[in-house]
Amino acid sequence: MIRLLLPFVLCLPAAVAAGQPAKTVKVTVLSTMLVGNSAAGIGEWGFAAVLEVDGHRLLIDTGARSETVLKNAAELNVDLSTITDLVLTHNHADHTGGLLTLRRELSRKQPSALSRVHVPRGIFYPRPGAGGREGNGLLPLKAAYESTGGVFIEHAGAATIMPGVSMLGPVPRVHPERNFGSPRGGTIGRVQTPEGLVEDNVPEDTSIVVDTADGLVLISGCGHSGIVNAMEFARKTVRAAPVYAAIGGFHLFAASDETLSWTAAKLKEFGVRHMMGAHCTGIEAVYRLRQLAGLSRQTVVVGAVGASYTHGKGFDATVLAR
Ligand SMILES: [Fe+2]
């Protein structure tokens, strides 16, 4: 069924199929807190980015507010209407809020625009809240999205979703990186899994990995699995290679000194050379990781709307975040 829908999607449980390493890789941020230029974009508590690999394009997450990504892309001259596939890294509203608006608006121009959503298993698990309120931000959008002709493609494990591009599926929690809970410091909710009602550690949380000759480029939405868990799982399932670049939200804004030191040591161990900490990574955490990992101002930057990473060239971090 999935193969009929998507000829190049291969769902494999343990490791993704080895292919040719990607040659050209570019990531452009479309939603995050900070805006780096006065000329284009607006900031929000959310995340979205466009990934371009050897001519294929993928949208990763859709921002928080319904129109942020649509408007930011227009102001940055990024045409999203020619992108057919997107990934939602997890169920939270600051990553799924733009889904319906983007699909509805862009499909008027191009019917196939954002018509296939790759999701990790567990993203539709109910999150029962106080008074019976549903806490899963994606569930109310599911039927509305499908009524536009769009389809969700669920991945239980690592899968190749574009040539040279893998989606990790749910990332196993080997290390106790507790990168979840309300961004405002509230209580941790519960999730209804097939095994029962348990603490909601966002079990579906996934990352995207591009395999290049220099190593892996990892893009994370919110990093609820933990940046170290994601990197280790990428090295296990995609290729046992250095993690050349890490980009996106890594949920370290409230991390302790001890956690940041441990994380930095792991970044060094994995060979991380470039890092863009956007969204929930936190600004102080980016600066601290840069220093602790012995990296430079050019190679570790705070993510801003319009900022980009070009493999082989490095970051264009925008005026403010440089
Ligand atoms: Fe988030």
Side-chain angles (χ1 to χ4, degrees):
M1 174 72 174
I2 287 171
R3 286 179 188 226
L4 288 174
L5 284 168
L6 261 181
F8 50 71
V9 169
L10 298 169
C11 298
L12 301 174
V16 289
Q20 291 293 316
K23 290 189 173 66
T24 64
V25 182
K26 185 175 183 185
V27 181
T28 305
V29 177
L30 293 179
S31 164
T32 188
M33 282 72 155
L34 189 68
V35 174
N37 285 314
S38 60
I42 191 166
E44 64 173 1
W45 186 291
F47 184 73
V50 170
L51 170 65
E52 303 175 59
V53 177
D54 294 336
H56 299 279
R57 299 164 79 226
L58 179 75
L59 179 66
I60 301 170
D61 288 341
T62 63
R65 300 184 185 216
S66 60
E67 297 198 334
T68 301
V69 172
L70 189 71
K71 289 181 175 174
N72 283 355
E75 290 181 18
L76 291 161
N77 295 314
V78 175
D79 183 6
L80 298 178
S81 71
T82 53
I83 300 178
T84 55
D85 291 55
L86 75 141
V87 165
L88 294 177
T89 58
H90 62 299
N91 78 89
H92 290 169
D94 53 339
H95 299 254
T96 60
L99 176 66
L100 272 187
T101 299
L102 287 165
R103 169 68 183 150
R104 284 174 177 158
E105 292 299 318
L106 297 172
S107 62
R108 287 181 193 168
K109 189 175 169 189
Q110 176 57 254
S112 63
L114 305 182
S115 55
R116 296 185 291 217
V117 189
H118 299 270
V119 294
R121 186 181 64 187
I123 201 168
F124 296 120
Y125 290 165
R127 269 77 175 183
R133 190 178 50 84
E134 177 53 61
N136 185 331
L138 186 57
L139 286 179
L141 306 177
K142 187 171 185 288
Y145 175 77
E146 288 171 334
S147 75
T148 71
V151 294
F152 288 98
I153 301 162
E154 200 168 298
H155 298 278
T160 301
I161 59 171
M162 268 183 5
V165 179
S166 303
M167 176 173 166
L168 294 180
V171 173
R173 309 299 170 86
V174 176
H175 301 286
E177 299 176 276
R178 290 186 63 82
N179 294 2
F180 44 88
S182 164
R184 295 163 198 86
T187 55
I188 295 167
R190 293 174 303 163
V191 55
Q192 186 69 55
T193 72
E195 290 75 39
L197 191 62
V198 296
E199 177 185 76
D200 186 7
N201 65 357
V202 201
E204 74 270 23
D205 191 65
T206 193
S207 291
I208 298 301
V209 179
V210 185
D211 190 13
T212 79
D214 300 312
L216 309 177
V217 175
L218 183 141
I219 303 119
S220 167
C222 218
H224 294 296
S225 69
I227 182 172
V228 174
N229 284 329
M231 287 182 177
E232 280 193 356
F233 194 55
R235 285 155 58 86
K236 193 173 172 184
T237 56
V238 178
R239 191 161 66 91
V243 181
Y244 188 78
I247 296 161
F250 294 104
H251 217 277
L252 291 164
F253 63 92
S256 66
D257 293 350
E258 188 185 3
T259 297
L260 289 172
S261 295
W262 176 80
T263 304
K266 287 289 187 183
L267 298 185
K268 283 171 87 170
E269 181 187 324
F270 297 150
V272 174
R273 302 270 295 273
H274 295 80
M275 181 171 179
M276 179 191 283
H279 183 40
C280 53
T281 310
I283 293 166
E284 174 71 9
V286 173
Y287 297 155
R288 297 282 292 279
L289 288 175
R290 171 201 287 163
Q291 191 174 26
L292 290 163
L295 295 167
S296 71
R297 185 168 171 173
Q298 286 71 40
T299 55
V300 177
V301 300
V302 172
V305 171
S308 62
Y309 168 78
T310 304
H311 195 70
K313 289 185 181 167
F315 292 117
D316 177 354
T318 74
V319 174
L320 187 62
R322 200 162 279 157

